[in-house]
Amino acid sequence: MSIEAMKQALEALEHEANRGNDNAYQCERDALRAAIKQAEKQAPYIAVANDRITIDPVTGNVSIGIPAAPRQWVELTDDEARALVNRATFGDRTNWQALVYMIDAKLKEKNHG
Protein backbone atom coordinates (compact mmCIF):
# COMPACT_ATOMS: atom_id res chain seq x y z
CA MET A 1 0.00 0.00 0.00
CA SER A 2 1.36 3.43 -0.87
CA ILE A 3 2.00 6.07 1.77
CA GLU A 4 -0.73 8.21 0.22
CA ALA A 5 -3.26 5.37 0.50
CA MET A 6 -2.30 4.76 4.13
CA LYS A 7 -2.75 8.47 4.89
CA GLN A 8 -6.19 8.45 3.28
CA ALA A 9 -7.20 5.39 5.27
CA LEU A 10 -5.98 7.01 8.49
CA GLU A 11 -7.88 10.19 7.66
CA ALA A 12 -11.09 8.20 7.17
CA LEU A 13 -10.65 6.40 10.47
CA GLU A 14 -9.89 9.65 12.30
CA HIS A 15 -13.00 11.20 10.77
CA GLU A 16 -15.00 8.34 12.28
CA ALA A 17 -13.33 8.90 15.66
CA ASN A 18 -14.15 12.62 15.51
CA ARG A 19 -17.83 11.81 15.13
CA GLY A 20 -18.03 11.07 18.84
CA ASN A 21 -16.33 7.75 19.41
CA ASP A 22 -12.73 8.62 20.32
CA ASN A 23 -11.77 4.95 20.65
CA ALA A 24 -13.13 3.92 17.24
CA TYR A 25 -10.55 1.87 15.37
CA GLN A 26 -7.80 2.99 17.77
CA CYS A 27 -5.60 -0.09 17.10
CA GLU A 28 -5.98 0.36 13.35
CA ARG A 29 -5.18 4.07 13.53
CA ASP A 30 -2.06 3.36 15.62
CA ALA A 31 -0.97 0.66 13.17
CA LEU A 32 -1.43 2.99 10.20
CA ARG A 33 0.54 5.78 11.91
CA ALA A 34 3.40 3.35 12.58
CA ALA A 35 3.32 2.01 9.00
CA ILE A 36 3.36 5.55 7.55
CA LYS A 37 6.29 6.53 9.78
CA GLN A 38 8.22 3.41 8.74
CA ALA A 39 7.46 3.89 5.02
CA GLU A 40 8.57 7.52 5.14
CA LYS A 41 11.95 6.47 6.62
CA GLN A 42 12.72 4.18 3.68
CA ALA A 43 14.89 5.66 0.96
CA PRO A 44 13.11 6.12 -2.36
CA TYR A 45 14.20 4.09 -5.36
CA ILE A 46 16.89 5.84 -7.32
CA ALA A 47 17.99 4.79 -10.79
CA VAL A 48 21.72 5.43 -10.88
CA ALA A 49 23.15 3.85 -14.01
CA ASN A 50 22.87 5.86 -17.23
CA ASP A 51 19.32 5.40 -18.58
CA ARG A 52 19.69 1.62 -18.67
CA ILE A 53 17.89 0.97 -15.40
CA THR A 54 14.22 1.75 -15.11
CA ILE A 55 12.03 1.29 -12.07
CA ASP A 56 8.28 1.11 -12.34
CA PRO A 57 7.03 3.54 -9.67
CA VAL A 58 3.82 1.57 -9.18
CA THR A 59 5.09 -2.01 -8.95
CA GLY A 60 8.75 -1.40 -8.09
CA ASN A 61 9.79 -3.77 -10.87
CA VAL A 62 13.30 -3.12 -12.14
CA SER A 63 14.34 -3.61 -15.76
CA ILE A 64 17.84 -3.31 -17.11
CA GLY A 65 18.62 -2.59 -20.72
CA ILE A 66 17.60 -0.36 -23.54
CA PRO A 67 13.99 -0.73 -24.63
CA ALA A 68 13.63 -1.94 -28.17
CA ALA A 69 12.52 0.63 -30.68
CA PRO A 70 9.01 0.02 -31.97
CA ARG A 71 9.07 -1.98 -35.16
CA GLN A 72 7.33 -0.85 -38.32
CA TRP A 73 4.69 -3.15 -39.76
CA VAL A 74 5.82 -4.68 -43.04
CA GLU A 75 3.04 -5.40 -45.52
CA LEU A 76 2.98 -7.87 -48.36
CA THR A 77 4.01 -6.45 -51.68
CA ASP A 78 1.59 -6.80 -54.59
CA ASP A 79 3.86 -9.45 -56.12
CA GLU A 80 3.94 -11.45 -52.86
CA ALA A 81 0.16 -11.28 -52.55
CA ARG A 82 -0.32 -12.42 -56.16
CA ALA A 83 2.11 -15.29 -55.65
CA LEU A 84 0.21 -16.48 -52.57
CA VAL A 85 -3.14 -16.29 -54.39
CA ASN A 86 -1.65 -18.28 -57.28
CA ARG A 87 -0.38 -20.95 -54.86
CA ALA A 88 -3.84 -21.29 -53.28
CA THR A 89 -5.71 -21.36 -56.60
CA PHE A 90 -6.34 -24.58 -58.50
CA GLY A 91 -7.98 -23.99 -61.84
CA ASP A 92 -10.88 -21.65 -61.15
CA ARG A 93 -11.13 -22.56 -57.44
CA THR A 94 -9.32 -20.84 -54.60
CA ASN A 95 -8.68 -22.61 -51.32
CA TRP A 96 -9.45 -19.63 -49.08
CA GLN A 97 -8.46 -21.36 -45.86
CA ALA A 98 -5.05 -22.26 -47.28
CA LEU A 99 -4.66 -18.69 -48.58
CA VAL A 100 -5.38 -17.26 -45.12
CA TYR A 101 -2.78 -19.55 -43.51
CA MET A 102 -0.20 -18.70 -46.17
CA ILE A 103 -0.77 -14.95 -45.73
CA ASP A 104 -0.52 -15.34 -41.96
CA ALA A 105 2.76 -17.28 -42.25
CA LYS A 106 4.25 -14.78 -44.71
CA LEU A 107 3.33 -11.77 -42.55
CA LYS A 108 4.80 -13.46 -39.46
CA GLU A 109 7.97 -14.17 -41.38
CA LYS A 110 8.27 -10.54 -42.50
CA ASN A 111 7.37 -8.96 -39.16
CA HIS A 112 8.77 -11.29 -36.53
CA GLY A 113 11.96 -12.41 -38.20
Side-chain angles (χ1 to χ4, degrees), residues 31-42:
L32 278 169
R33 281 190 199 94
I36 291 168
K37 186 175 180 180
Q38 181 65 30
E40 288 176 337
K41 284 182 186 177
Q42 294 176 352

Side-chain angles (χ1 to χ4, degrees), residues 3 5 9 16 21 27 38 43 46 49 52 55 58 70 72 75 79 81 86 88-89 105 110:
I3 294 173
E16 183 64 27
N21 184 0
C27 292
Q38 181 65 30
I46 300 173
R52 293 191 64 196
I55 301 171
V58 175
Q72 290 285 24
E75 298 178 351
D79 290 338
N86 289 339
T89 302
K110 292 182 76 155

